[in-house]
Amino acid sequence: MTGDLIRLCALDEIPDPGSRGFSWGEGDWPLQFFVVRQDGRVFAYPNRCPHAGHELHWQPDRFVTSEHDLILCQSHGA
């Protein structure tokens, strides 16, 4: 898919600093991921705890600490 772009949302719909979750695809296994915006840059990550395998957030679009400096698993605080 090199060169193909998919628009997820407008950049100003993601707080800076902050995060926002997305689901892409259909069926039983859509891709769950989130983006983190900080200092005008945007980074994307799978929405999956590497330790336990579940989603990282328990509230919509809450993927980072209150200081907005670290990604946080809401289940076990890592």
Side-chain angles (χ1 to χ4, degrees), residues 25-38:
E26 298 178 18
D28 294 334
W29 301 99
L31 175 63
Q32 302 292 329
F33 64 100
F34 64 99
V35 297
V36 174
R37 184 174 178 201
Q38 188 170 38

Side-chain angles (χ1 to χ4, degrees), residues 53-72:
H54 52 70
E55 292 183 341
L56 292 170
H57 69 303
W58 59 273
Q59 292 181 335
D61 302 324
R62 292 287 308 264
F63 296 94
V64 294
T65 61
S66 58
E67 295 82 16
H68 303 287
D69 59 343
L70 298 170
I71 294 170
L72 177 65

